[in-house]
Amino acid sequence: MVDPAVPDYQLAAFLMAVVLRGLTDRETTGLLEAMVDSGDRIDLSPVGRPVADKHSTGGVGDKTTLVVAPLVAAAGTPVAKLSGRGLGHTGGTLDKLESIPGFRVDLSIPELVSQVAEHGIAVAAQTADIVPADKRLYALRDVTATVQSIPLIATSIMSKKIAAGASRLVLDVKVGEGAFMEDLDSARALSQAMMRLGDAARLPTTCMLSSMDEPLGCAVGNALEVAEAVATLEGRGPAEFTELCLVAAGLMLGDRTAADEALRSGRALAAYREWISAQGGDPDAALPEAPDVTDVRADRSGVVACCHSRGIADAAMRLGAGRARKEDAVDHAVGIVVHRKRGDRVEAGDVLATVHSRGPADDDAVRASFELVDGGVERGPAVLEITSAGT
Ligand code: URA
């Protein structure tokens, strides 16, 4: 598949055939192995201990890695992660990290391995040598409407995780309007497919399913999300986001109590600071700030039925927080902080969200993302389901 002699039109025909006909488990495993073998595999054995990795299928306001990696490292398990940039309405961890002055995401593989060994955490950009087949296939999927296929998504994600060399993996599969998988059944099917692939590659994999109907936490936008991640490590984060991070860290460690203790003791915050400094960043430097800060207020009273993640993400993207095309630059300072979420009561005139912008805020689009009803709304759990192999 990575042989340039194979023309794009044949690959595109293959991808469409997979979308229409699916793949058997054996075919999916075969595709996975071919994809992993298309490039390099990272050897993390010099770290001398099992290394954990996590992956989210992509969400709005998803700064989980910035909290979970320090929680896990502080509890004694090193974390190595290759990450991506944001595209469309979902943000990328690399863009968030790059809002920290000095932070370098372009580590070479030897640098990544030695940083994990010495400091317990490294998060770096995916290199061209890791699963080049995915790079080619994903670019074609993007332009041929063949992204939405469980075997293609599962092999794309798992090939990169297997090549990245960790020895245990937690996948946060997002469900809902801001996610690839819009309903619970498809999210379960994707989870099962990825766990089967993890099993075939001897990479123990656990999936947690979490809702993406609303943004994760309150902040959406790169520097704003870093600030929220730090607040969470200081014990001042939004309750449901803190819980999601502790669940993920507990699964990566196989010990939820150790994750709680890493947060309570402040050791996770210390691990974050060590990691940021090791990667060239200054954890004490001021983050970029947008010049215009505008409160968006409710025009009626009621109870929030949903703060729609898609509406908030699209508004944040129009402010410049995300990119519509791969080559676009992002503005690290801009974004939206939501103050009300599902189940919260609001009075007319209450602040629903704060927009950080350069120029006028799109108040109406932000206000329209809040669905207000007269009552009867309950907040859902931070994590909907957890599935490990065999359950
Ligand atoms: N993330 C990936 O890396 N690949 C997909 O196909 C979908 C989400």
Side-chain angles (χ1 to χ4, degrees), residues 55-57 134 138 141 147 152-154 156-157 160 180:
H55 183 82
S56 151
T57 56
D134 182 61
Y138 199 89
R141 286 168 61 201
V147 169
L152 294 180
I153 297 175
S156 166
I157 293 175
K160 289 176 285 193
F180 272 107

Side-chain angles (χ1 to χ4, degrees), residues 259-323:
D260 288 338
E261 185 46 30
L263 181 63
R264 203 174 21 241
S265 62
R267 278 186 290 118
L269 180 62
Y272 169 84
R273 294 176 59 83
E274 180 178 343
W275 159 40
I276 299 301
S277 305
Q279 238 166 299
D282 177 356
D284 295 313
L287 294 167
E289 281 180 30
D292 301 302
V293 178
T294 313
D295 286 334
V296 176
R297 295 177 187 275
D299 52 11
R300 56 160 285 191
S301 59
V303 177
V304 178
C306 188
C307 164
H308 290 283
S309 55
R310 195 60 202 252
I312 297 291
D314 288 345
M317 201 172 105
R318 286 194 298 275
L319 294 172
R323 45 172 85 70

